[in-house]
Amino acid sequence: MSTKIQVGIVGYGNLGKGVVSAIKQNPDMELVGIFTRRDPSAFSSENGLSFYKISDAESFRDKIDVMILCGGSATDLPEQGPEFAKLFNTVDSFDTHAKIPEYFNHVNDSAVTAGKVAVISTGWDPGLFSINRLMAESILSEGTDYTFWGKGVSQGHSDAIRRVAGVKNGVQYTVPSEEVINRIRGGETPDLTTRDKHIRECFVVAEEGADQEKIRQEIVSMPNYFSDYDTTVNFISEDELRRDHSEMPHGGFVIRSGVTGKNTRQIIEYSLKLESNPEFTASVLTAYARAAYRLSNEGVKGAKTVFDIAPGYLSPKSPEQLRKELL
Amino acid sequence: MSTKIQVGIVGYGNLGKGVVSAIKQNPDMELVGIFTRRDPSAFSSENGLSFYKISDAESFRDKIDVMILCGGSATDLPEQGPEFAKLFNTVDSFDTHAKIPEYFNHVNDSAVTAGKVAVISTGWDPGLFSINRLMAESILSEGTDYTFWGKGVSQGHSDAIRRVAGVKNGVQYTVPSEEVINRIRGGETPDLTTRDKHIRECFVVAEEGADQEKIRQEIVSMPNYFSDYDTTVNFISEDELRRDHSEMPHGGFVIRSGVTGKNTRQIIEYSLKLESNPEFTASVLTAYARAAYRLSNEGVKGAKTVFDIAPGYLSPKSPEQLRKELL
């Protein structure tokens, strides 16, 4: 077997494709194959990649060091996370915040029994943002923190727009409120809900002859999704939508504003500006695959989150090199 | 012994005072005493704190869980780091970047032999900035990163100003170039030296009757310190200096601009805006004292850096609580 870390991918959507790219950027890693529920022969000619049926994964137990699970949190991961942790070291991006404790327990049971490491819920939120929330509150124990998302496409809100009568297509961006961010950067610590912190921008392609004002009203008054937010609706052509809104940018901020000593203001801010959300998430998963591999080699087992993993495990450099070059 | 983490402090300068404040903000910690080279009786009435001679520290071996070393990197820590690691778990802020590998080895020898944990070189740079450099380059392996310092007081440059003939007092601020930061945030990755990234602002109190233009010329042309930078010199009164320039603000940015996939631009930025550099550094050291204590309880020994410590160790919360509340 090669001395490179042998990586497998489960699922070939945007995230899985991002992981393929990320592995190419990391010379210490090698992609063994991609496991899919679809017919592998449909992909066979694609860029020299190897595709296999997901049901054949078990026969790769001795050929793959880490399996990166690129399915969704709604239905794929609750099933795949615990199953694959019985066979492989795994990394996933399970992001249903409320269900993380339960998911952790299921995956942990499998991983402990099998002697594998399973890094769950990594990416940028949960993931990098979580680390920053934890570290900032541990350092500035008296303070307030704020997480802002965007500017980025919200899939759920885009779907909601597309269900409105007369709408042919549409995209919704969640946009953090610059005004609120500047107040916090300036040292204020206002009480804010998610809706205070964000505005919603919609780009809509209407059916020919549809009543645009009626569509606009229906969107801005939609309960849960839009009615409590400042929402703008822009009508554009199908061509404009394709040209200007087909990328998946995202990003956001974690800001903690705290005090030390006699009311001394200290502000920690972490921000991401991403041209592609899935490609960036994939890069985070790939770095954590290196960590999973190394932890497993050290005899560690069980489910782990970003909170449990020392930063040094993410880097291909040795501890000596890290101390010399980056400390 | 109390169930709280019993903390000692070595050195009572700005950093040591900051640690006293930080411990008060952390209910799981208790300050046992402050060890100083000065005469302890000189401090005895101060805020109910206990002061001891540094030479008496050894008798506190069983009473202190972690000793936070608040001396300077030039002469105090090279001696105190290895000595105290023979007796206590320690945390320090050794920040002479070029000497970190050597310092690590000395402290590690002591700590391994004594079975103690010694967290070296923590604070914000080295420390939090180092973590961000490491994580950002591990995630965006193709990219460029930039560290900017400031706006903040540089002690070395302030001292250089005060040595100029005709100068009564002065303070120098290192200021990151907003123009350069905005170019990087916009996606450019220029080649930059430290001097391209920063400008220098001086506030000078001249002796009565001194030739201000001559002072200005001497400062801006001073080799190593100012001649290669854009430097501004402002003359102010002693009162203005005391009123407006007696705080110790600092901060800075670590920005990595990288690409994924087919030239997709991704930007990670970490920034600090600090009203007090020593109080913030003290808060970081205090959080790492918690980590040192816990690692030691798990049987870990030897010198550690921020790269070796999982984020969860910094928080007083349990892993379950962290996963539920912060992930």
Side-chain angles (χ1 to χ4, degrees):
Chain A
M1 198 190 272
S2 157
T3 56
K4 295 187 177 193
I5 304 171
Q6 304 293 301
V7 183
I9 296 172
V10 177
Y12 196 58
N14 289 320
L15 187 58
K17 287 172 188 165
V19 173
V20 172
S21 295
I23 289 171
K24 286 185 193 145
Q25 292 184 303
N26 286 284
D28 62 334
M29 295 188 179
E30 202 162 74
L31 178 59
V32 176
I34 298 155
F35 298 84
T36 169
R37 268 186 309 231
R38 291 177 274 176
D39 177 3
S41 66
F43 301 103
S44 59
S45 65
E46 205 168 311
N47 301 319
L49 301 172
S50 303
F51 289 85
Y52 304 99
K53 275 195 264 185
I54 206 166
S55 51
D56 291 339
E58 189 162 357
S59 65
F60 285 80
R61 285 179 80 154
D62 299 329
K63 301 189 189 80
I64 286 175
D65 296 315
V66 190
M67 196 68 106
I68 303 182
L69 310 182
C70 297
S73 299
T75 56
D76 300 330
L77 292 175
E79 186 196 310
Q80 292 173 357
E83 283 308 306
F84 276 90
K86 292 177 185 165
L87 304 168
F88 300 97
N89 298 312
T90 62
V91 176
D92 73 50
S93 64
F94 185 80
D95 67 355
T96 312
H97 289 261
K99 294 190 178 165
I100 287 175
E102 182 192 340
Y103 183 70
F104 178 90
N105 290 337
H106 288 159
V107 175
N108 190 51
D109 287 346
S110 296
V112 167
T113 306
K116 301 293 181 186
V117 171
V119 180
I120 68 154
S121 300
T122 186
W124 58 275
D125 196 358
L128 305 180
F129 274 19
S130 319
I131 292 174
N132 278 280
R133 285 188 287 261
L134 184 159
M135 293 192 65
E137 84 163 28
S138 300
I139 291 161
L140 296 175
S141 42
E142 286 181 35
T144 314
D145 63 53
Y146 302 92
T147 299
F148 291 87
W149 297 278
K151 181 180 177 175
V153 174
S154 161
Q155 218 48 67
H157 288 78
S158 299
D159 289 345
I161 290 176
R162 290 190 285 259
R163 285 192 298 263
V164 171
V167 171
K168 198 170 160 195
N169 208 339
V171 167
Q172 193 265 186
Y173 295 92
T174 305
V175 185
S177 163
E178 271 297 320
E179 180 241 328
V180 171
I181 291 177
N182 287 333
R183 281 172 60 197
I184 296 167
R185 284 181 182 150
E188 289 182 57
T189 52
D191 277 331
L192 298 169
T193 61
T194 299
R195 50 193 59 149
D196 293 325
K197 294 186 293 182
H198 298 91
I199 60 174
R200 302 204 170 276
E201 266 182 15
C202 307
F203 292 87
V204 176
V205 181
E207 309 265 11
E208 215 173 296
D211 180 343
Q212 296 193 353
E213 183 50 30
K214 188 156 167 281
I215 291 172
R216 202 190 65 78
Q217 274 305 334
E218 193 166 336
I219 292 173
V220 302
S221 61
M222 197 185 296
N224 302 321
Y225 286 93
F226 295 102
S227 61
D228 296 313
Y229 290 84
D230 279 339
T231 302
T232 61
V233 178
N234 308 283
F235 288 93
I236 60 175
S237 71
E238 187 86 55
D239 281 349
E240 286 169 316
L241 187 82
R242 200 167 25 237
R243 189 190 66 206
D244 302 333
H245 302 283
S246 61
E247 304 297 318
M248 283 167 285
H250 219 305
F253 306 78
V254 176
I255 306 179
R256 185 165 179 93
S257 177
V259 292
T260 59
K262 294 190 175 68
N263 224 15
T264 310
R265 180 66 50 191
Q266 317 273 22
I267 299 175
I268 303 176
E269 178 173 336
Y270 184 77
S271 74
L272 297 173
K273 194 171 147 193
L274 310 175
E275 284 187 358
S276 163
N277 180 5
E279 285 181 13
F280 185 78
T281 302
S283 296
V284 179
L285 264 61
T286 304
Y288 275 96
R290 180 181 292 120
Y293 169 73
R294 291 176 163 190
L295 287 166
S296 180
N297 281 352
E298 291 181 6
V300 172
K301 51 193 170 184
K304 302 290 162 192
T305 75
V306 295
F307 298 154
D308 307 314
I309 298 175
Y313 285 100
L314 301 177
S315 172
K317 296 180 177 172
S318 72
E320 293 74 22
Q321 202 180 357
L322 290 176
R323 285 193 292 271
K324 189 163 186 279
E325 294 176 9
L326 292 179
L327 198 63
Chain B
M1 195 190 277
S2 157
T3 56
K4 294 188 178 193
I5 304 171
Q6 304 293 301
V7 182
I9 296 173
V10 178
Y12 196 57
N14 288 320
L15 187 58
K17 287 172 187 164
V19 173
V20 172
S21 295
I23 290 170
K24 285 186 196 144
Q25 293 183 304
N26 287 282
D28 61 335
M29 296 189 179
E30 200 162 76
L31 177 59
V32 176
I34 299 157
F35 299 84
T36 168
R37 268 184 310 231
R38 291 177 274 176
D39 177 4
S41 66
F43 301 104
S44 58
S45 64
E46 204 167 311
N47 301 319
L49 301 171
S50 303
F51 290 85
Y52 304 99
K53 274 196 267 186
I54 205 166
S55 52
D56 291 340
E58 189 162 358
S59 64
F60 285 81
R61 283 178 80 155
D62 300 328
K63 300 189 191 80
I64 286 175
D65 296 315
V66 190
M67 195 69 107
I68 303 183
L69 309 182
C70 297
S73 300
T75 57
D76 299 330
L77 292 175
E79 188 197 306
Q80 291 172 356
E83 283 309 308
F84 277 90
K86 291 176 186 166
L87 304 168
F88 300 97
N89 298 313
T90 62
V91 176
D92 73 49
S93 65
F94 184 79
D95 68 357
T96 312
H97 289 261
K99 293 188 177 168
I100 285 174
E102 184 192 339
Y103 182 71
F104 178 90
N105 290 335
H106 288 159
V107 176
N108 190 50
D109 288 346
S110 297
V112 167
T113 306
K116 300 293 181 186
V117 171
V119 180
I120 70 154
S121 299
T122 187
W124 57 276
D125 195 358
L128 305 180
F129 275 19
S130 318
I131 292 174
N132 278 280
R133 285 188 287 262
L134 184 159
M135 292 193 64
E137 84 164 28
S138 300
I139 291 161
L140 296 174
S141 44
E142 287 180 36
T144 314
D145 63 54
Y146 301 92
T147 299
F148 291 85
W149 297 280
K151 180 180 177 174
V153 174
S154 161
Q155 219 46 66
H157 288 79
S158 299
D159 289 344
I161 290 175
R162 291 190 285 259
R163 287 192 298 263
V164 171
V167 171
K168 199 172 161 193
N169 208 339
V171 167
Q172 193 264 185
Y173 295 91
T174 305
V175 185
S177 164
E178 271 295 323
E179 181 241 325
V180 172
I181 291 177
N182 287 334
R183 281 172 59 198
I184 297 167
R185 283 180 182 151
E188 290 184 57
T189 53
D191 278 331
L192 298 170
T193 62
T194 299
R195 50 193 58 151
D196 294 325
K197 293 186 294 184
H198 298 91
I199 59 174
R200 301 202 172 278
E201 266 181 16
C202 307
F203 293 86
V204 177
V205 182
E207 308 267 9
E208 215 173 296
D211 180 343
Q212 296 194 351
E213 183 51 29
K214 189 158 166 279
I215 290 173
R216 202 190 67 77
Q217 274 303 333
E218 193 166 336
I219 292 173
V220 301
S221 62
M222 198 186 296
N224 302 323
Y225 286 92
F226 295 103
S227 61
D228 296 313
Y229 290 84
D230 278 340
T231 302
T232 60
V233 179
N234 307 282
F235 288 93
I236 59 175
S237 71
E238 188 86 54
D239 282 350
E240 286 170 316
L241 188 80
R242 200 165 28 236
R243 190 190 66 206
D244 302 334
H245 303 283
S246 61
E247 305 296 318
M248 283 169 284
H250 219 308
F253 307 79
V254 175
I255 306 179
R256 186 166 180 92
S257 176
V259 292
T260 58
K262 295 191 173 68
N263 225 15
T264 309
R265 178 66 49 191
Q266 315 273 22
I267 298 175
I268 303 175
E269 179 173 338
Y270 183 77
S271 75
L272 297 173
K273 195 170 149 195
L274 311 174
E275 283 187 357
S276 164
N277 182 5
E279 284 180 13
F280 185 78
T281 302
S283 296
V284 179
L285 264 61
T286 303
Y288 276 97
R290 179 180 292 120
Y293 169 75
R294 290 178 163 186
L295 287 165
S296 180
N297 281 352
E298 292 181 5
V300 171
K301 50 192 170 183
K304 302 289 161 193
T305 74
V306 294
F307 298 154
D308 307 313
I309 297 174
Y313 285 100
L314 301 177
S315 173
K317 296 180 178 171
S318 72
E320 292 73 24
Q321 202 180 356
L322 291 175
R323 284 193 293 271
K324 188 161 186 279
E325 294 176 10
L326 292 178
L327 198 61

